Amino acid sequence: MPNKPIEPFRIKVTEPISLPSLEERIKGIEEAGYNVFRIRSEDIFVDLLTDSGTGAMSQNQWAGLMIGDEAYACSRNWFHFEATVKHIFQKRFVLPCHQGRVAENILFSTILKKGDYIPNNTHFDTTRANTMHKGGIAVDLPCRELDDEESDFPFKGNMDTAGLAAFINKVGPDKIPVVVMTLTNNSVGGQPVSMANIVETKKICERNGIPLFFDAARFAENAWFIKMNETGFGKRAVESIAQEMCAHADGIMMSAKKDGLVNMGGFLAVNDEDLAGRLKELLIMIEGFPTYGGLNGRDLEAISIGLMESLNEEYLAYRTGQIAYLGELLRQAGCPIIMPTGGHAVFIDAGKLLPHIPALQFPGQSMTVEFYRRGGIRTVEIGSLMFGSVDPETGETISPKRELVRLAVPRRMYTNTHMEYVADVATEIVKDKDKLRGYKIVDEPDFLRHFTCTMQEITENPAGVVSE
Ligand code: F0G
C-alpha cells in the first residue's frame, strides 16, 4: 500500500457532488464537442481540471472576508496584503491584479518589443500566449534530466542553464528583456526547481544585464521540495527557503489562485522603481487603482492569509503527499506517469499508454474524454491539443515532446477516497485502452484553442464504454 497522507483539517462546510448517469455523461461530452472545458461543472463528479482557484479556503480566510475594507484607495486589507507579499517575496513594490495572466499581460506589454525573446524553463500556456500576443518569441529551456521519465531526479523543473547561456550568446542580451523561471514548472509535470539552479540562472542573467522574473504560482510547493530534496535545506523553515528563492529574482508574476489558496487574485512585485511606475500606468488603465488592482478588499485579506497558510509545513507534507498517493495508485493501475510526482498534479503519459493514436489525433484528449465518460472525472490534455504549434516556415504542426493528461488536485478539497475512485476509473480505462480512438478538431480559434475548440472522435464506434 502506498503512503496515505492524513488530511490535517476537518470539514466544516460541505458541497454536494454527484455522478451523472452513463447516458448523461455520454450525451454531455458529445454536446460539449468533446471538450471538457465546455461541460457544466454540475455534471462533473470529481473535477481535476485545474488546481487554480478551485481550492477550499480555511476558517481564518473566511473570517478574513468579514474584515474586508472596500474603500477605493488604501484599504486596511491592502496594507496587510502589501506587507505579506513584501515579506515572502522580498520585493519593494507590489501591484495587485485579479489573476496571473494579467500580471503577464501588464509585464510583457510594458517591457517586450516585437521580435524579442523570452526564455523560460517552460512557459505555461497563458505566459506563452501573452508573449506571442505582444510579438515576442517564447523559448522553452527545460533541463536535460527531464527526458528520462522514470528517473527520480528531484528537480526536473530546472532551467537548462547551459542552454540559456548559449541562447543569450546567440541572439544577444538586447533581444531578451527578461528571463522567466516557472516555479514549480507546471507544463513539464509540476516539477520543482532547485535553489542551485535558481542561483545559477540568476548569475547568467546578471552577467548579461537581464532581469530574472519568477512565474511564482506554486512557490510554496517549490520551496517544500527544496526542503525535502536539496542538500543543506532539510532543517530550514519553508518560509525562509521561499524568501531566499525570491530574493534571487528581480520580479515576481503571481497567480494567487494556486499557492495563494484563494479563488481569485494575483500580483506583480518588482524591485525596480522606474519599472514599477511604468507597470502601474497600465495597471490603473486595465485593472484598477494600485491599492486594489481589480480585487475586493476582502479578497486582498483572504490572499494575505492564504499566502502564509500555504507555507505551513504540515499542510505542505499532506498536499504533496496526496499527489504522490494519487500517482502511486495510478501507477498500480498501469498508467505511465511522469516521475517523481510534482506539487500539484499527476501527469499520465497518454502517448505511451495509447501508442496506436498518433500525436495529431490527440491521445491525451482521448484519455481525457474517457475519464469523463467512465467516471464523470474532468482532467485536461497537455499535449498536441494545448501546445501543438504551426512551424511558420513549413506550415507543419509541431507536437510537444509528450502527450500528457494532467490530473490537477485542488487544494484541501478532495479526500483520499476521491483519489482512490479516480484510480479505480483509470484501472478500467487501462483495461480497455486498445478501444480508445483519436480525435480531430472541428472548430478552433487562433489563440489558446484548447479552451474553446470542438472535436470529433475519429471512428464510427464510440470508444470503449460498455457498462456503468
Ligand atoms: N503561470 C502558471 C505557471 C500557471 O500555472 C498559470 C495558470 C498562470 C501562470 C496563469 O494564472 O490562471 O491566474 O491567470 N494555471 C492554471 C492551470 C490555469 O490550470 O494550470 P491565472
Side-chain angles (χ1 to χ4, degrees), residues 174-367:
D174 294 346
K175 298 288 283 178
I176 304 177
V178 67
V179 169
V180 180
M181 280 191 112
T182 308
L183 314 170
T184 57
N185 196 342
N186 186 4
S187 303
V188 305
Q191 301 285 321
V193 174
S194 70
M195 191 73 84
N197 191 255
I198 291 172
V199 170
E200 181 63 25
T201 302
K202 173 64 182 166
K203 262 193 211 152
I204 295 168
C205 289
E206 223 160 33
R207 230 175 15 237
N208 290 283
I210 305 171
L212 173 65
F213 269 61
F214 287 168
D215 180 351
R218 299 177 181 85
F219 76 99
E221 290 164 4
N222 199 91
W224 172 257
F225 283 116
I226 289 178
K227 180 181 172 83
M228 287 296 108
N229 297 321
E230 192 163 353
T231 312
F233 291 93
K235 292 205 170 71
R236 290 267 304 277
V238 172
E239 186 176 322
S240 101
I241 296 173
Q243 288 172 322
E244 183 176 330
M245 276 164 35
C246 294
H248 292 295
D250 300 285
I252 306 284
M253 289 184 276
M254 178 74 184
S255 165
K257 299 169 72 172
K258 288 82 169 172
D259 281 348
L261 295 174
V262 290
N263 305 115
M264 195 56 71
F267 56 84
L268 276 162
V270 297
N271 272 335
D272 183 322
E273 189 167 5
D274 173 61
L275 176 61
R278 288 190 291 140
L279 296 169
K280 228 174 247 183
E281 285 171 20
L282 188 55
L283 179 79
I284 293 172
M285 254 185 286
I286 66 173
E287 284 284 270
F289 191 72
T291 65
Y292 74 84
L295 293 164
N296 298 303
R298 55 181 176 270
D299 297 335
L300 293 167
E301 191 60 33
I303 300 170
S304 316
I305 298 167
L307 285 170
M308 292 308 292
E309 284 182 359
S310 78
L311 292 166
N312 178 294
E313 299 190 8
E314 244 176 303
Y315 155 74
L316 282 167
Y318 142 77
R319 166 78 182 148
T320 52
Q322 190 179 45
I323 306 293
Y325 181 59
L326 174 62
E328 196 42 47
L329 294 178
L330 288 171
R331 256 152 82 101
Q332 287 175 3
C335 293
I337 64 167
I338 294 199
M339 285 298 288
T341 45
H344 69 291
V346 180
F347 292 69
I348 298 175
D349 191 331
K352 250 193 193 166
L353 184 71
L354 309 171
H356 60 286
I357 304 180
L360 294 183
Q361 291 181 16
F362 312 122
Q365 186 60 17
S366 178
M367 186 142 194

Side-chain angles (χ1 to χ4, degrees), residues 284-445:
I284 293 172
M285 254 185 286
I286 66 173
E287 284 284 270
F289 191 72
T291 65
Y292 74 84
L295 293 164
N296 298 303
R298 55 181 176 270
D299 297 335
L300 293 167
E301 191 60 33
I303 300 170
S304 316
I305 298 167
L307 285 170
M308 292 308 292
E309 284 182 359
S310 78
L311 292 166
N312 178 294
E313 299 190 8
E314 244 176 303
Y315 155 74
L316 282 167
Y318 142 77
R319 166 78 182 148
T320 52
Q322 190 179 45
I323 306 293
Y325 181 59
L326 174 62
E328 196 42 47
L329 294 178
L330 288 171
R331 256 152 82 101
Q332 287 175 3
C335 293
I337 64 167
I338 294 199
M339 285 298 288
T341 45
H344 69 291
V346 180
F347 292 69
I348 298 175
D349 191 331
K352 250 193 193 166
L353 184 71
L354 309 171
H356 60 286
I357 304 180
L360 294 183
Q361 291 181 16
F362 312 122
Q365 186 60 17
S366 178
M367 186 142 194
T368 297
V369 169
E370 211 52 25
F371 262 120
Y372 182 72
R373 273 206 287 230
R374 288 184 183 243
I377 299 163
R378 178 153 64 174
T379 60
V380 67
E381 190 262 12
I382 301 208
S384 288
L385 180 64
M386 187 182 276
F387 286 134
S389 57
V390 177
D391 185 320
E393 275 158 34
T394 64
E396 274 175 33
T397 303
I398 314 162
S399 287
K401 268 195 193 143
R402 297 205 177 93
E403 301 298 328
L404 302 174
V405 176
R406 186 182 75 172
L407 288 73
V409 183
R411 292 168 181 77
R412 310 188 288 203
M413 251 260 287
Y414 291 118
T415 65
N416 293 327
T417 314
H418 293 111
M419 301 299 111
E420 288 153 17
Y421 169 75
V422 170
D424 289 346
V425 173
T427 306
E428 293 303 310
I429 296 176
V430 171
K431 255 191 231 152
D432 280 344
K433 65 187 164 74
D434 297 339
K435 294 188 198 153
L436 269 64
R437 300 282 174 264
Y439 284 79
K440 63 178 176 202
I441 296 175
V442 179
D443 189 31
E444 63 177 306

Side-chain angles (χ1 to χ4, degrees), residues 46-68:
V46 177
D47 199 348
L48 305 183
L49 178 65
T50 178
D51 62 318
S52 178
T54 50
M57 293 209 296
S58 67
Q59 59 182 3
N60 282 344
Q61 286 177 291
W62 282 105
L65 297 184
M66 291 307 294
I67 52 169

